[in-house]
Amino acid sequence: MEAAKDANLQLNYYQKEDQVLLAVDCIIFGFDKEDLKILLVKRNLEPEKGKWSLIGGFLKKNENLDQAAVRVLKTLTGLSDIYMEQLHTYSNVDRDPGQRTISVAYYALIDVNAHRFGDIQMDSANWFDVKKAPHLIFDHNEMVQKAIARLRRRALTKPIGFELLPEKFTMRQLQTLYESILDKKLDKRNFINKINSLDVLVKLNEKDMTVSRKGSYLYVFDKEKYEKKVEEDGFNFKI
Amino acid sequence: MEAAKDANLQLNYYQKEDQVLLAVDCIIFGFDKEDLKILLVKRNLEPEKGKWSLIGGFLKKNENLDQAAVRVLKTLTGLSDIYMEQLHTYSNVDRDPGQRTISVAYYALIDVNAHRFGDIQMDSANWFDVKKAPHLIFDHNEMVQKAIARLRRRALTKPIGFELLPEKFTMRQLQTLYESILDKKLDKRNFINKINSLDVLVKLNEKDMTVSRKGSYLYVFDKEKYEKKVEEDGFNFKI
């Protein structure tokens, strides 16, 4: 009894600490066969109502942050089963002028064309080229920049594309994806050699005939080999 | 006036959200010329009083998370001006049985021997070999594992050692540091070639005579070149 009372007394120190609001904000990357894009929404609440914003929401009592990020994404876009990764936690005292809110940023990768959006009203949401993103509320531009840097680093050390490309794609589309992530032109022959050395692609006996008269072979990722490469220590995709 | 009233009404939605306690926990890595270590403290409060724990504390109203991490480290150890990096935010609903607390983990790198500890009572704190760390409170073992993985990835893609080694060090000490981070033996000649190709070391005209009769040349990092390599896209330190 004494011990339990002691413990209770000591637990009171939790009560003296400042509590804060915790939010998640999602940087949603998409690829439309040409450009790397992010999904933004028009904020419908003060402060900064009517400005472009990342998709976000507050953490609830009965969920962890990963679950909150999945819920926010699903509620606003209808998307589920999406690749998401925690990026960074933003905590400057005045970052949200409404009330002090700490925000945990997540980034997600999706194939723009494979998804139909749910609840989101698409007149208040839009895909933007990452290089032409508008001024966003709070510190959301900073979050986007960090997400791009993370995605770039990931592309340099792990295979990427599985989540961003359609199931079947041409070598040219894969190169364009890498070029848009790394934001530079790549030499075609070097790129093909590098990708082939990763040994994560399966060449299909099938062509995309829309691109040229000769057509371009289609590829799929070998999911097992791809996952194995992602798990490994990493490589250096210097091109 | 109407607009301001409107905005105030809308700001009320902040009030309806659940608030949480936010803490920082620090994984402090040190290197003592032989092993990679972490600094742990004996927890002096319930719950889990008397068990080994990372160094931590709650976020205050007037500081951001980086500042909280610096304050916690400084208060408990007297250390300041330390390399720290935010690692990951932990949020499982029941992770802290005292009260729901979200914890943002930071990791820090220090040279064990270069520091004198301040306020910390060293009978309640200890350096542990990372491979022999005891069972820790809450999800702290998970934090340590993630920090080791991050440090390992960092060592594979960026030069490392500046923060963990004494100012002057032998090639053997640098190799031992890499071996303890990567947790494997490295071939001496390959290691020296790889390190030299990074071009971040300056060989001194001075020897450490304690290691052998012939002695071993001492090196320092060229801080400017080192920082530049850290800023760059990364390389692959496959050995």
Side-chain angles (χ1 to χ4, degrees), chain A residues 14 63 86 89 91 96 100, chain B residues 14 63 86 89 96 100:
Chain A
Y14 281 93
E63 63 185 4
Q86 195 190 100
T89 299
S91 59
D96 182 337
R100 184 168 197 196
Chain B
Y14 281 93
E63 64 185 2
Q86 195 191 102
T89 299
D96 182 336
R100 183 167 198 197

Side-chain angles (χ1 to χ4, degrees), chain B residues 153-164:
Chain B
R153 206 158 59 238
R154 191 162 169 267
L156 285 169
T157 56
K158 307 272 181 186
I160 209 162
F162 204 87
E163 306 85 357
L164 290 161

